[in-house]
Amino acid sequence: MSKDTIRALDTREQCRMRLPVWFGSRDNYTHGVREILANASDEISNNFDSGTIVVTLEEDHQTISVFDTGRGIPVSGETNGVKNYELLFLTLFSGTNYDNIDNGKMTTGANGVGTCVLNHTSVLFEVSSIRNNKKDTVI
């Protein structure tokens, strides 16, 4: 490839090769977890009077599990012909909180970045969501 060749990174490459853009540095492993916690906190505080968030460091000391009592992530279904799980976990800047200025809700996470970057930079990223009494799992 010559020095004059223009290259565009796909989403996965953007997340992996430019991790410091999203998390501040390559060593900031906890930032992704904070983004997930922010999503859980926003979900509960914007939709319920109370709720629970449980964070577990698994026995392997490498796996972190997060459980919350929010409404569940809208994994199934499509939005404008694109599967929701693709938008939420594979596409940067896709999310449901862009209208918060109009509806009075607050958002602490970086809209549509945390789950996508964490997915693309994790060895294993698994999501189980119960929404409207239906359980969906994405690995």
Side-chain angles (χ1 to χ4, degrees):
M1 186 180 305
S2 82
K3 290 182 181 179
D4 295 328
T5 302
I6 296 172
R7 178 177 177 210
L9 301 176
D10 65 26
T11 301
R12 182 182 172 120
E13 291 171 321
Q14 289 176 42
C15 294
R16 287 180 167 229
M17 294 174 67
R18 299 297 180 238
L19 186 62
V21 170
W22 313 112
F23 290 177
S25 78
R26 290 196 169 280
D27 298 325
N28 191 0
Y29 303 107
T30 61
H31 188 91
V33 176
R34 286 195 310 265
E35 288 287 338
I36 299 302
L37 291 175
N39 290 347
S41 175
D42 289 345
E43 171 61 25
I44 291 171
S45 65
N46 286 327
N47 297 296
F48 301 99
D49 291 331
S50 65
T52 302
I53 301 170
V54 177
V55 180
T56 306
L57 177 61
E58 303 296 342
E59 289 183 22
D60 65 4
H61 293 263
Q62 295 179 21
T63 304
I64 298 172
S65 299
V66 178
F67 168 85
D68 70 68
T69 58
R71 297 172 298 167
I73 301 169
V75 173
S76 63
E78 295 183 353
T79 302
N80 298 325
V82 180
K83 297 198 179 297
N84 286 349
Y85 73 85
E86 289 181 25
L87 290 169
L88 294 170
F89 307 120
L90 300 174
T91 309
L92 288 168
F93 303 109
S94 295
T96 60
N97 290 320
Y98 284 104
D99 65 349
N100 282 349
I101 294 171
D102 300 329
N103 67 19
K105 295 181 179 181
M106 62 180 249
T107 302
T108 55
N111 293 60
V113 171
T115 56
C116 180
V117 173
L118 197 56
N119 177 38
H120 284 302
T121 58
S122 295
V123 173
L124 173 67
F125 184 80
E126 180 178 334
V127 175
S128 292
S129 176
I130 299 173
R131 187 171 174 98
N132 300 325
N133 296 317
K134 181 180 181 237
K135 182 177 180 178
D136 290 298
T137 300
V138 177
I139 298 176

